[in-house]
Amino acid sequence: MTYYFASNLEPVEINYCDKIGRGTDGTVYKHKNLALKLLEFDNKTREENGRLDFEKARYFIEEVRTKRIWFPIDILLDTNGIYSGIVMNLIDKIPLQNINLLQYSMDDLFLFIEELIEDYEKELTPKKIAAFDINLGSYCLTPNFLQMCDVDKYRILANVFLAQSENKNKMVYSLAKAIYYLNFISVKTTKEERKKWQKWIKMQVKEKQLLQTITSDNLQNHFDNVNEYITYTRKRILES
């Protein structure tokens, strides 16, 4: 089946692409260094359900330039010119069995935090975009550390002030959830342990001191790598 990149009408034969993922919202294929996501629902249904409809996708492509949150870079059209999917840069996600947090320094973590905050404050909020539906599936660990993805449910709000109000908590939530994600991919957690982590995330959103806390913990303990920090944080949370 043939689809076309909206930016240049270059054709791509999806049957010759490797399938690399499938979810409730669509199927993802690999094409060169790109990920092509064919969407499950028509544009009207996507708009009604707050998903990534054509207008939202086009706005993201034209307006957003983020460093840690991966947005679509092009649109896929079918042979009738109908919106059928999105194009993303391919994320070099590390397989779960190969994950080793010892290879990442605290500088990697602080750079992720700095660039994620910049994405929120200089890209999302000024462009009236509010982050929604952030979960463990919103994160990927790559050779360059963490990336966020899955912006399908992000919303374009009426004005900057509404986006600022929404993102004030979502930014901290994204950072706290990232710490939990690093723990989640490192060790198995019980139901009770997950409850304690959720309680910790809520506390971080309320207090909004997470960056200061991480900085202070690092200064006091001189962590050699991210694994040491996650181990320290996990122990403190579970013993609370």
Side-chain angles (χ1 to χ4, degrees), residues 74-92:
D74 207 340
I75 285 170
L76 285 178
L77 305 173
D78 68 9
T79 53
N80 295 315
I82 296 173
Y83 172 57
S84 301
I86 57 172
V87 181
M88 308 276 290
N89 284 315
L90 189 65
I91 299 178
D92 187 12

Side-chain angles (χ1 to χ4, degrees), residues 61-220:
I61 292 164
E62 292 176 352
E63 298 294 334
V64 182
R65 299 293 180 269
T66 47
K67 295 179 180 178
R68 289 290 172 168
I69 307 174
W70 286 45
F71 279 81
I73 60 172
D74 207 340
I75 285 170
L76 285 178
L77 305 173
D78 68 9
T79 53
N80 295 315
I82 296 173
Y83 172 57
S84 301
I86 57 172
V87 181
M88 308 276 290
N89 284 315
L90 189 65
I91 299 178
D92 187 12
K93 184 178 180 180
I94 298 176
L96 188 61
Q97 66 271 21
N98 295 338
I99 286 174
N100 179 11
L101 296 185
L102 292 170
Q103 72 185 62
Y104 300 103
S105 70
M106 289 301 290
D107 285 342
D108 291 320
L109 176 58
F110 284 119
L111 180 61
F112 166 75
I113 293 172
E114 176 186 331
E115 291 185 340
L116 187 61
I117 291 174
E118 186 176 304
D119 284 349
Y120 269 92
E121 294 183 344
K122 295 185 178 181
E123 287 294 320
L124 301 193
T125 296
K127 291 164 184 177
K128 304 180 293 184
I129 299 168
F132 279 87
D133 196 29
I134 299 165
N135 52 63
L136 291 177
S138 302
Y139 299 87
C140 292
L141 187 66
T142 77
N144 294 319
F145 201 51
L146 285 176
Q147 293 288 157
M148 290 190 67
C149 53
D150 192 14
V151 299
D152 187 60
K153 292 289 187 70
Y154 284 27
R155 301 176 188 172
I156 303 170
L157 303 185
N159 56 62
V160 170
F161 301 106
L162 289 175
Q164 185 177 44
S165 176
E166 190 67 45
N167 286 336
K168 185 177 182 180
N169 286 337
K170 290 294 172 57
M171 183 174 69
V172 181
Y173 181 84
S174 298
L175 294 174
K177 198 79 171 184
I179 302 301
Y180 175 48
Y181 172 80
L182 291 171
N183 175 80
F184 181 81
I185 61 177
S186 304
V187 296
K188 292 183 178 179
T189 56
T190 66
K191 183 177 180 180
E192 290 303 313
E193 288 171 343
R194 289 193 293 271
K195 286 181 179 179
K196 288 191 174 183
W197 273 98
Q198 294 302 326
K199 182 179 178 181
W200 176 80
I201 291 172
K202 289 180 180 179
M203 183 174 68
Q204 303 314 308
V205 173
K206 180 179 179 181
E207 296 180 349
K208 295 180 175 56
Q209 296 293 316
L210 181 57
L211 176 56
Q212 293 88 330
T213 300
I214 296 174
T215 302
S216 175
D217 289 343
N218 190 47
L219 288 173
Q220 292 178 21

